[in-house]
Amino acid sequence: MRKTTLISLALAALPVFGTAGPFDDLASVEILPGWRNAAGEHMAGLRITMDEGWKTYWRAPGDGGIPPQFSLTGSENITGFTPHWPVPELFYQNDMYSVGYENSVVFPLRLYSVDPEAPMRISGQIHIGVCEEICIPVTLDFDELLPVEGERDAAITAALINRPLTADEANVGTVICRIDPISDGLQVTTVIDVPPMAAKEFVVVEAGDAHVWVSEADIARDGNRLSATVDMVHHTGEAFALDRTAVRITVLGDNQAIDIQGCAAG
């Protein structure tokens, strides 16, 4: 079963980012106010617009990338949120792959509140990396009142539709993770029973722990058997235990994706 991540408002501040800097005009943020659903959740969106030819990153950006970090610490009547990630693009530069979005992207945010009958104020920052020939960390501030009554937004809806397929939708069969120790961490080989989705596929493996670095995957396919091998190293360099249920595997190809949560021992 695919898990939904509820992010605390306190996750915001990362020391790698500072306040507004001289490069922040390379990108801008716009709040899409969105609408309140029958469950009392509010669906809003952040539209990031960059200068022509500039890119920003997906949640697992690849080597050297900066994943977006959302901070809603100045918000009112918002207790947490779940970001939604549109299907990203693959970029190859300087002998490295990165995963992200070019020119613009809308990140839908599902917001949870104390009182769903009252207005919400969404206030905070998004920290992103903006890249052309070089990559620059940028912090963008936002603040807006989200009324109880709101209309569905076409841009938010389109971003929600542009999502990865679930494992069931993609006819994924068994998914296993073989784990072998290496000198500074673990080597993990995921083996997925799934039909080919593109002539060239790219696999991203996430450990489910932000403190664990994961290498680019070495990919092989044999019929409906797709394997991806990565190295995982804890940022402290110390040994760590891998929770297979927290492992997240994304298969990318031809502007589509499959999102797989968890793997079995094998």
Side-chain angles (χ1 to χ4, degrees), residues 58-120:
W58 185 56
R59 66 164 192 268
D63 285 342
I66 302 171
Q69 297 289 338
F70 304 90
S71 163
L72 271 62
T73 51
S75 300
E76 299 172 4
N77 194 29
I78 297 177
T79 57
F81 65 102
T82 300
H84 294 260
W85 302 89
V87 172
E89 300 176 62
L90 286 173
F91 304 105
Y92 186 74
Q93 188 175 8
N94 299 327
D95 297 324
M96 291 191 303
Y97 278 100
S98 61
V99 187
Y101 310 94
E102 186 173 19
N103 297 334
S104 68
V105 60
V106 172
F107 293 119
L109 299 178
R110 188 180 302 274
L111 306 169
Y112 309 95
S113 68
V114 176
D115 181 3
E117 300 300 322
M120 301 179 188

Side-chain angles (χ1 to χ4, degrees), residues 29-47:
V29 61
E30 175 191 0
I31 295 176
L32 304 179
W35 66 92
R36 199 78 49 96
N37 65 24
E41 303 162 345
H42 196 101
M43 183 61 71
L46 297 180
R47 190 202 317 263

Side-chain angles (χ1 to χ4, degrees), residues 135-174:
C135 291
I136 300 163
V138 170
T139 296
L140 302 172
D141 298 304
F142 52 83
D143 182 85
E144 188 161 324
L145 188 66
L146 305 176
V148 176
E149 298 296 330
E151 297 183 357
R152 285 185 171 269
D153 183 282
I156 298 174
T157 301
L160 289 169
I161 292 171
N162 184 27
R163 62 169 179 83
L165 298 174
T166 66
D168 287 342
E169 290 169 338
N171 297 316
V172 174
T174 58

Side-chain angles (χ1 to χ4, degrees), residues 178-182 185-189 229-232:
R178 294 197 297 263
I179 301 175
D180 297 296
I182 55 177
L186 301 173
Q187 185 173 85
V188 179
T189 299
T229 300
V230 297
D231 292 343
M232 296 188 181

